[in-house]
Amino acid sequence: MRPAEPLGDEERGRLLGGSHHDPHALLGAHPVPGGVAFRALRPFARSVAVTGAGLRAELYDEGDGLFAGVLPLREIPDYRLLVTYDDAELELQDPYRFLPALGDLDLHLVREGRHEELWRALGAVPMTHGGVPGTRFTVWAPNARGVRVAGDFNYWDATGHPMRSLGASGVWELFLPGIGEGALYKYQITRPDGSYTLRADPMARRTEAPPATASIVDVTHHVWRDEEWMARRAATPVHEAPFSVYEVHLPSWRPGLTYRQLADQLPAYVKDLGFTHVELMPVAEHPFGGSWGYQVTGFYAPTARLGTPDDFRYLVDALHAAGIGVLMDWVPAHFPRDDWALAEFDGRPLYEPEDPRRAAHPDWGTLEFDYGRTEVRNFLVANAVHWCQEFHIDGLRVDAVASMLYLDYSREPGQWTPNVHGGRENLDAVAFLQEMNATVYRRCPGVVTIAEESTAWDGVTRATHHVGPGGFGGLGFGLKWNMGWMHDSLVYVSKEPVHRKYHHGEMTFSMIYAYSENYVLPISHDEVVHGKRSLVSKMPGDWWQRRATHRAYLGFMWAHPGKQLLFMGQEFAQGAEWSESHGPDWWLLDPSYSAEADHRGVRDLVRDLNAAYRAEPALWQRDTVPEGFEWVDGDASEDNVFAFLRYDAEGSPLLAVSNFSPVVRHGYTLGVPARYTAWGEYLNTDAERYGGGGVTHPDPVKTEAVRSHGRPASVTVTLPPLATVWFRPV
């Protein structure tokens, strides 16, 4: 062994200072005249030796944790490093003897922004490389002067683990032998100005539970048991199938339960109530619980508050076993400014636009994504695919789409810059949403994407290749939340019955545009928080009237064209607003509570609504075409009555009648198709078992040859107060 040629001051300074783009050129083993030079960077080590078959040689101490020497060898041997510390001696593989563990095709796709399985290329990926088990760390940080890996395996001192730059891709890479599942890590990034920042991995598949912020190397061991579910979920298009959704905030549905404990309770509860799907408020990791998950820092990791990623897979599997589809809220509109996460990730705006006015989200104090940057768009598109492929998610409800689509969203004149055509549309966001939808639908059969879009943007659920009158192709979503129906109908039912006749059009207006998109009717968490009151508490009158109107409204909603969504707690008429700190008021269903029957009655109605809905194709088969709906009487404003027919694909009808006045209407005549001789009551929200007054039709109602509502035949019925009744031909 002889001393190696010392590093130049500049190279040494860059290496030790964490700003070297190619540490592998300096560290590891390299042929030199007269032998092979070895150099290791092991801070705090007393000595480092090279060992191998018949080989042990002590390296010279060059100071600052650098050890080097030259052995008279013809070729680089299969060697290890024997590192001696004050209290231990470790024999280790040298990370700097390995070629890059990321292939050229991966790098090409990353640079092109077309890597649809980006999580397989970036992040911490356990693997065997060169016959040695370890973990490949890769991170995109194109503005960084240098990147190093810090973790519990190096006592959070990143000095000894600098990463190499893989050229123009902006990706940095390092394979660390012996590091595996469960290791904690972050990236120490040297910014362009020479300062340091310690960042969680944007591609981390697992994280520490907040408020801790480290990323965790993860390996899945879950064995899926939902092959049958996955194979048949694409058999029927979602818009032609029953689709009723129970929206859940997992941390507060049953506070304190883990994913696995939830798997023992949530599927059974949702199946009993007959919902076809659950929608989970965001499960991606987020630092602030009060954001309900809508300010995401770990886009690829389920929140660790409730368990591991495999625990979350277990919950999804259990829901599928119960026949329940799993939708999740997905938030590509913005991200928080936490200094350990995505904001100015490598010292400059990276995931966000460079223009601070464009980057700042005016409503939430967060940052918007730069949808025009190929790598950022790839990060988000691949993320959508990731949840569907890796966690078998059946649908993505995309949050805050309107804030993405408009450059002037919540901005005053002078605070935004028009697009190249002088318009207010964010063309980059449009292209991103189109690419995301097209990619998800191509790669994940049976998955549905749902837009929370609150404006009249044309073509939200139109195919991306169909250009509309505005010159844009469709955004390509499968469904869209009908925020207009939600707002208008809640305004109507919140009025005193005597005033409802002046707001009658608020309940009928939705049918003017009902077929412009494929709609979901959402009574979501947003409608029962922050002073808006719970659904039953929005209703006027005494407790009986509130519950009756609540039930009548649900009956109207389940019969109206569009899919249904109901937030937890509203299925049993919880009187208090939702709070993420304690969740639904389950005690209302305790048999020892005096008013338990009132709440149980509403829940029984929801169960029966779902059962009747699923069994009656007229309520869902032609949801998105005008042929599936016909007004019987949409103008009975003086009576506060709405009556309409729904038709299935064979033309079989269902008659839905809602009476939003507190009086019984005897002898109420409604025009019906003449070919049916009698109509039987299918569901009545005034039934005594629901807590109603019991004004029902125990016997079929005969059709009479009396013209009414433009039809040659009619039925005469009794309408219960504040109730919805469904009739079918018998």
Side-chain angles (χ1 to χ4, degrees):
M1 176 71 73
R2 60 182 173 86
E5 183 176 347
L7 297 176
D9 289 344
E10 181 188 359
E11 292 270 60
R12 183 185 179 100
R14 288 170 57 206
L15 178 63
L16 295 175
S19 59
H20 204 290
H21 71 286
D22 189 13
H24 290 68
L26 308 181
L27 303 175
H30 301 276
V32 296
V36 174
F38 297 85
R39 178 170 279 110
L41 177 54
R42 291 287 163 173
F44 311 114
R46 287 175 49 194
S47 64
V48 177
V50 175
T51 67
L55 171 68
R56 174 167 177 156
E58 203 86 11
L59 298 179
Y60 291 90
D61 187 345
E62 296 185 326
D64 297 320
L66 285 166
F67 298 84
V70 177
L71 287 174
L73 302 172
R74 294 185 177 181
E75 58 184 25
I76 297 173
D78 183 8
Y79 73 95
R80 290 174 176 249
L81 299 177
L82 187 66
V83 184
T84 303
Y85 296 96
D86 287 339
D87 56 353
E89 186 175 75
L90 305 174
E91 189 174 34
L92 306 167
Q93 292 280 357
D94 184 0
Y96 297 93
R97 62 175 282 247
F98 294 92
L99 293 171
L102 192 64
D104 290 340
L105 177 59
D106 283 317
L107 288 172
H108 171 75
L109 292 173
V110 168
R111 192 173 180 186
E112 291 289 312
R114 299 291 179 187
H115 205 306
E116 294 177 358
E117 293 186 334
L118 188 66
W119 66 94
R120 303 192 191 282
L122 299 182
V125 180
M127 60 173 55
T128 298
H129 182 44
V132 176
T135 296
R136 183 196 68 205
F137 294 89
T138 43
V139 62
W140 178 60
N143 298 307
R145 287 175 56 182
V147 184
R148 299 185 283 197
V149 182
D152 56 359
F153 43 82
N154 60 17
Y155 301 97
W156 297 99
D157 184 335
T159 307
H161 290 117
M163 305 174 76
R164 66 177 141 209
S165 169
L166 298 181
S169 67
V171 174
W172 299 75
E173 182 265 358
L174 180 64
F175 175 75
L176 288 183
I179 304 302
E181 180 180 4
L184 275 61
Y185 71 99
K186 283 187 176 181
Y187 297 114
Q188 186 190 70
I189 294 173
T190 306
R191 298 183 178 105
D193 64 2
S195 63
Y196 301 114
T197 180
L198 192 62
R199 298 286 173 145
D201 187 354
M203 301 293 301
R205 263 77 85 201
R206 183 181 171 192
T207 68
E208 286 189 290
T213 59
S215 304
I216 302 177
V217 178
D218 189 56
V219 177
T220 179
H221 302 285
H222 181 75
V223 178
W224 289 98
R225 297 173 175 83
D226 63 351
E227 296 86 357
E228 184 180 345
W229 170 274
M230 297 293 285
R232 63 180 165 82
R233 70 178 181 182
T236 305
V238 167
H239 62 281
E240 297 176 1
F243 192 91
S244 62
V245 183
Y246 184 61
E247 188 189 19
V248 177
H249 179 251
L250 282 179
S252 69
W253 185 73
R254 293 280 192 181
L257 296 191
T258 65
Y259 291 127
R260 288 183 181 267
Q261 291 167 334
L262 284 162
D264 292 334
Q265 298 188 31
L266 183 61
Y269 183 80
V270 177
K271 182 177 183 180
D272 174 65
L273 288 183
F275 288 96
T276 65
H277 291 74
V278 293
E279 180 177 316
L280 309 178
M281 290 168 67
V283 297
E285 193 58 270
H286 51 283
F288 176 47
S291 76
W292 311 331
Y294 290 99
Q295 295 192 8
V296 179
T297 49
F299 280 80
Y300 283 77
T303 179
R305 292 170 174 84
L306 308 181
T308 69
D310 270 359
D311 293 338
F312 180 63
R313 289 182 176 93
Y314 182 87
L315 171 59
V316 174
D317 222 349
L319 286 160
H320 285 169
I324 299 160
V326 182
L327 316 174
M328 62 168 272
D329 283 8
W330 184 57
V331 193
H334 63 131
F335 57 91
R337 297 174 180 264
D338 300 78
D339 61 8
W340 48 268
L342 295 183
E344 294 194 352
F345 181 76
D346 57 4
R348 296 194 59 204
L350 186 65
Y351 289 90
E352 67 272 36
E354 287 196 32
D355 183 345
R357 296 181 308 162
R358 183 70 195 85
H361 198 293
D363 287 349
W364 303 312
T366 52
L367 295 170
E368 299 186 11
F369 281 100
D370 183 356
Y371 304 108
R373 187 160 192 164
T374 56
E375 298 93 339
V376 174
R377 197 165 63 242
N378 191 176
F379 172 81
L380 292 170
V381 171
N383 185 241
V385 174
H386 173 261
W387 286 103
C388 299
Q389 287 190 192
E390 294 296 312
F391 294 98
H392 291 200
I393 296 298
D394 303 298
L396 300 171
R397 177 269 197 183
V398 183
D399 184 64
V401 171
S403 75
M404 302 164 64
L405 290 175
Y406 298 99
L407 295 167
D408 62 346
Y409 184 86
S410 286
R411 292 179 169 89
E412 300 297 328
Q415 295 180 336
W416 62 282
T417 303
N419 62 33
V420 293
H421 305 297
R424 57 196 285 252
E425 300 86 2
N426 186 336
L427 303 180
D428 292 331
V430 171
F432 156 66
L433 290 170
Q434 291 174 325
E435 180 183 349
M436 181 278 297
N437 281 313
T439 304
V440 167
Y441 277 100
R442 173 169 47 81
R443 294 189 63 103
C444 310
V447 167
V448 61
T449 59
I450 307 166
E452 187 217 12
E453 203 284 307
S454 56
T455 75
W457 183 278
D458 176 58
V460 172
T461 59
R462 190 171 61 233
T464 57
H465 59 282
H466 288 169
V467 178
F472 292 100
L475 295 183
F477 284 94
L479 298 168
K480 172 183 172 175
W481 274 21
N482 193 335
M483 311 294 280
W485 173 89
M486 176 274 298
H487 176 269
D488 292 347
S489 63
L490 289 180
V491 166
Y492 177 86
V493 295
S494 67
K495 301 296 182 184
E496 291 286 348
V498 69
H499 297 140
R500 285 177 179 157
K501 63 182 178 181
Y502 304 111
H503 298 271
H504 197 81
E506 314 240 9
M507 289 287 264
T508 60
F509 181 66
S510 59
M511 290 313 304
I512 293 175
Y513 61 87
Y515 306 108
S516 60
E517 304 280 3
N518 303 334
Y519 282 116
V520 176
L521 311 179
I523 301 299
S524 73
H525 64 277
D526 273 334
E527 312 320 314
V528 295
V529 291
H530 297 328
K532 295 180 182 177
R533 298 175 293 174
S534 71
L535 184 57
V536 74
S537 296
K538 296 177 192 291
M539 311 304 178
D542 60 24
W543 175 230
W544 192 96
Q545 291 175 318
R546 288 185 173 193
R547 284 185 294 119
T549 310
H550 181 106
R551 295 192 305 268
Y553 181 70
L554 293 179
F556 175 84
M557 172 181 173
W558 254 251
H560 190 285
K563 310 308 181 181
Q564 290 76 39
L565 179 140
L566 190 66
F567 184 59
M568 64 184 196
Q570 313 317 300
E571 78 275 16
F572 57 84
Q574 173 176 316
E577 285 186 341
W578 169 64
S579 166
E580 80 277 2
S581 62
H582 68 259
D585 288 336
W586 297 109
W587 58 270
L588 296 170
L589 296 167
D590 189 324
S592 65
Y593 174 55
S594 60
E596 178 265 346
D598 296 345
H599 299 279
R600 176 170 39 81
V602 174
R603 190 170 66 170
D604 288 345
L605 170 66
V606 170
R607 181 187 296 108
D608 290 352
L609 280 170
N610 277 325
Y613 166 77
R614 295 175 77 157
E616 183 48 68
L619 292 172
W620 44 262
Q621 206 166 48
R622 301 169 93 182
D623 254 342
T624 59
V625 292
E627 295 79 9
F629 178 92
E630 218 172 61
W631 278 114
V632 173
D633 194 344
D635 298 319
S637 57
E638 291 293 334
D639 297 337
N640 294 351
V641 169
F642 305 87
F644 54 84
L645 290 158
R646 297 294 308 277
Y647 293 96
D648 67 14
E650 305 300 321
S652 299
L654 178 140
L655 173 64
V657 190
S658 296
N659 174 21
F660 284 101
S661 64
V663 298
V664 179
R665 299 200 179 277
H666 298 281
Y668 207 85
T669 301
L670 297 164
V672 294
R675 64 183 181 274
Y676 303 104
T677 59
W679 296 72
E681 188 175 277
Y682 187 40
L683 183 139
N684 187 329
T685 67
D686 192 52
E688 289 182 357
R689 67 181 179 277
Y690 306 140
V695 179
T696 62
H697 300 81
D699 300 316
V701 180
K702 292 183 179 180
T703 305
E704 300 176 352
V706 176
R707 190 168 186 83
S708 181
H709 297 105
R711 293 177 175 82
S714 61
V715 293
T716 300
V717 299
T718 298
L719 299 184
L722 301 174
T724 293
V725 188
W726 297 353
F727 297 93
R728 290 191 304 181
V730 293

